[in-house]
Amino acid sequence: MNKKRYAVIGGGINGLAVARQLLLDFPDATVVLFEKEASVASHQSSHNSGVVHAGLYYEPGGLKARLCRRGGELIGNYCRDNAIPYDECGKVVVALQEEELPRLEAIYRKAQANGVPGVRLIGSNELREIEPNCIGLGALHSPKTAIVSYGQIAARIADEIRERGGRICLNSPVGRLLEQGGEVRVELADGEVFDTVFDQAIACAGLQSDRLAERSGDQGTPRIVPFFGQYYVIDEAFKSHVKGLIYPVPDPRFPFLGVHFTKRIDGQMTIGPNAFISFGRENYDGRSMNLADIFNFASYPGFWKFAARNLPATLRELKTVVSEASFVREAARYVPTLASVGIVPAVRGIRAQAMEANGALVDDFVIRQHGNITHIRNAPSPGATSSLAIAEYIVREVMRR
C-alpha cells in the first residue's frame, strides 16, 4: 500500500497542529509543511493574548463552541505533558450596569450549554473576594480559564513534527495549490513547483487564507479584512492589582469585545486590545502601510457596508487608538485604582477576520474542502485555543468525507 502524502500550508499554530495530527494518525505518511517566514509562529500565533478560552460566548452546537472546549482540554494536557508553563488563573466577566445583567445571564446559559467547567454567576461581594480591586454589580466567574504562550507551544509542536519524521520547509511562501487527476502540486510564490506530488493539502494560511484559497480554485469570499489590536503592559508596581483576567460584558452594539485586563504567562499584566482597521495584513509595528492590502479591503463592498453599520464602534475604538489615556480610562472603569497607571506598548496583534460581501463578520470557524484541498477560511479567536481540536476535526472528519 502506498504511503499517503500530505502538504500543509502555514506554520502558525493551526498548520503545525494539523501536521502533527497527520503524523499521529498516519505515522508512515509523508508530511511536508510550508512556511513563508524564517521561523514558525511568526504571525497571529505569537501576537495574541495567550488566553486558553473556556468557551463562554460561543453559540452552542457551532464549531467554535465544540472545538474551543475540546481544544482547551488538549492544550492543557499538551502543556503538562511537555513541561510548558500553564496558569489556570481564572476569569471574571463583569457587569457594571443593570442593563448588562441580562446579557451576563445569557452568557452563563451559553457556557452551561457548552459544558464549561465550574462557571457560575457571582455577586459584587464574591467578585471582590476573587478580584479585590474590581468593581461591578455582578460577574460570571470562569475558574478554569488559563493563560499560556502559544509561541512556546508552537515551537514544541514544530520539534515534535520533525521528531516524528515530518518536514518543515521554512522561507517557502506558497503561491497556489494545483489539483489535477486527484493529486495536488504545490507551486511556490516564485513559480517553482515543489518536487513531491501530494494526495491531499491543507491550507492554514491565516491572514492570507482568502488569497491562497482563491488562487487555488476556491471561491473568493469570505474575504479577510485585517483589524489590529494593541496591548499595553501596565507598570510592574501595579500588576498585583489584578489577579487574573477581567473582561467586560459584550455589548451587542459593537462587533468587538472592548478593552480588558489579561495576565500574561510571564507574570506581567496587560490591558487591551482595541480593534481598528489595519493598514496592512502583517503591519505589526503600526508604522507602515501596505497599499495592496489597503486596496483589497477598500475595494470590497462588504467593508463599506460593515463600516456604515458600525460607526459608533469605530469612534469608540478610535479614541483608544489615538489616546493612551483613553485606553487606560476604559480599563479603569473596572479597576479604579489603576486610573492613572503607567503603560508601555506590548504586543500588537492582527485579527484575520473573515467578512462576507454583505458586510457581516463571519462568526464561526469556516473550514471548507475543495476537491483534495482543505482550506481554513476563518479561525479568529478562539483559534489558538482550538488549534489541536481543529486539527483533529480536519484530519478525522473533513478529510474523510
Side-chain angles (χ1 to χ4, degrees):
M1 183 176 179
N2 293 332
K3 293 195 304 181
K4 289 287 187 179
R5 301 154 299 175
Y6 300 99
V8 180
I9 316 306
I13 195 164
N14 279 301
L16 291 163
V18 168
R20 170 183 176 269
Q21 192 65 51
L22 287 166
L23 290 163
L24 287 173
D25 287 10
F26 311 110
D28 294 330
T30 296
V31 176
V32 182
L33 183 147
F34 297 85
E35 166 55 41
K36 68 175 183 171
E37 306 295 352
S39 61
V40 299
S42 296
H43 293 282
Q44 293 179 98
S45 302
S46 57
H47 293 80
N48 58 57
S49 66
V51 175
V52 182
H53 294 282
L56 301 179
Y57 309 103
Y58 316 121
E59 199 60 42
L63 276 182
K64 272 190 179 182
R66 171 189 163 188
L67 299 182
C68 179
R69 287 290 306 118
R70 171 66 175 160
E73 294 172 2
L74 292 173
I75 286 287
N77 292 338
Y78 194 81
C79 288
R80 285 185 280 271
D81 291 345
N82 291 276
I84 297 171
Y86 179 90
D87 182 359
E88 209 168 73
C89 60
K91 165 180 171 178
V92 288
V93 181
V94 179
L96 294 179
Q97 300 172 339
E98 289 281 350
E99 66 187 38
E100 294 178 318
L101 292 174
R103 301 204 298 268
L104 195 65
E105 291 173 0
I107 295 171
Y108 174 63
R109 289 193 294 272
K110 281 186 178 180
Q112 283 189 309
N114 292 336
V116 178
V119 66
R120 59 198 180 92
L121 292 169
I122 59 176
S124 57
N125 290 336
E126 194 168 358
L127 172 61
R128 285 290 187 128
E129 293 175 12
I130 296 167
E131 289 285 359
N133 295 299
C134 182
I135 62 172
L137 300 177
L140 183 146
H141 183 217
S142 174
K144 297 296 184 180
T145 297
I147 53 174
V148 294
S149 165
Y150 286 110
Q152 279 187 267
I153 294 170
R156 177 65 195 109
I157 295 175
D159 287 342
E160 185 182 352
I161 289 167
R162 296 184 180 103
E163 291 163 6
R164 292 182 179 276
R167 179 180 175 187
I168 298 177
C169 297
L170 301 173
N171 299 304
S172 300
V174 172
R176 59 177 175 160
L177 300 170
L178 306 167
E179 183 175 4
Q180 187 173 16
E183 294 181 326
V184 181
R185 304 297 298 262
V186 175
E187 182 181 292
L188 301 177
D190 62 5
E192 179 185 353
V193 177
F194 193 72
D195 53 9
T196 300
V197 179
F198 298 96
D199 298 293
Q200 295 196 60
I202 307 93
C204 312
L207 287 155
Q208 308 296 337
S209 59
D210 57 334
R211 290 169 169 167
L212 178 59
E214 189 171 11
R215 290 196 301 263
S216 303
D218 196 22
Q219 64 192 54
T221 56
R223 184 175 296 186
I224 295 298
V225 176
F227 292 86
F228 77 79
Q230 178 68 56
Y231 287 88
Y232 290 87
V233 173
I234 71 171
D235 187 331
E236 187 164 2
F238 293 86
K239 68 181 183 181
S240 63
H241 285 228
V242 179
K243 305 300 182 185
L245 312 179
I246 300 176
Y247 277 51
V249 178
D251 189 328
R253 296 174 300 171
F254 302 125
F256 299 115
L257 185 58
V259 173
H260 44 274
F261 289 92
T262 306
K263 182 182 178 182
R264 278 194 334 203
I265 198 66
D266 64 3
Q268 296 300 318
M269 182 59 61
T270 68
I271 57 175
N274 47 18
F276 204 75
I277 192 70
S278 176
F279 296 124
R281 295 196 184 193
E282 299 171 9
N283 179 23
Y284 295 109
D285 62 10
R287 295 190 294 270
S288 59
M289 292 191 297
N290 185 304
L291 295 180
D293 289 348
I294 295 171
F295 178 79
N296 189 262
F297 70 72
S299 61
Y300 186 47
F303 170 72
W304 295 107
K305 292 174 183 177
F306 169 84
R309 287 199 298 264
N310 290 280
L311 183 58
T314 301
L315 296 176
R316 181 185 78 162
E317 299 297 332
L318 183 60
K319 286 191 298 183
T320 66
V321 172
V322 301
S323 169
E324 292 182 2
S326 294
F327 207 103
V328 172
R329 280 197 300 271
E330 186 70 21
R333 294 167 58 218
Y334 298 88
V335 184
T337 58
L338 297 178
S340 57
V341 70
I343 59 174
V344 295
V347 68
R348 178 187 177 100
I350 299 179
R351 179 187 181 103
Q353 177 61 61
M355 184 181 292
E356 299 286 8
N358 64 3
L361 299 184
V362 180
D363 183 56
D364 208 353
F365 296 149
V366 177
I367 299 169
R368 192 160 60 221
Q369 193 172 42
H370 179 80
N372 287 331
I373 304 171
T374 300
H375 296 277
I376 298 181
R377 294 295 300 260
N378 190 53
S381 180
T385 298
S386 308
S387 55
L388 297 178
I390 288 173
E392 281 187 341
Y393 172 71
I394 288 174
V395 173
R396 297 179 179 176
E397 296 184 44
V398 176
M399 291 172 59
R400 295 189 178 183
R401 288 172 185 166

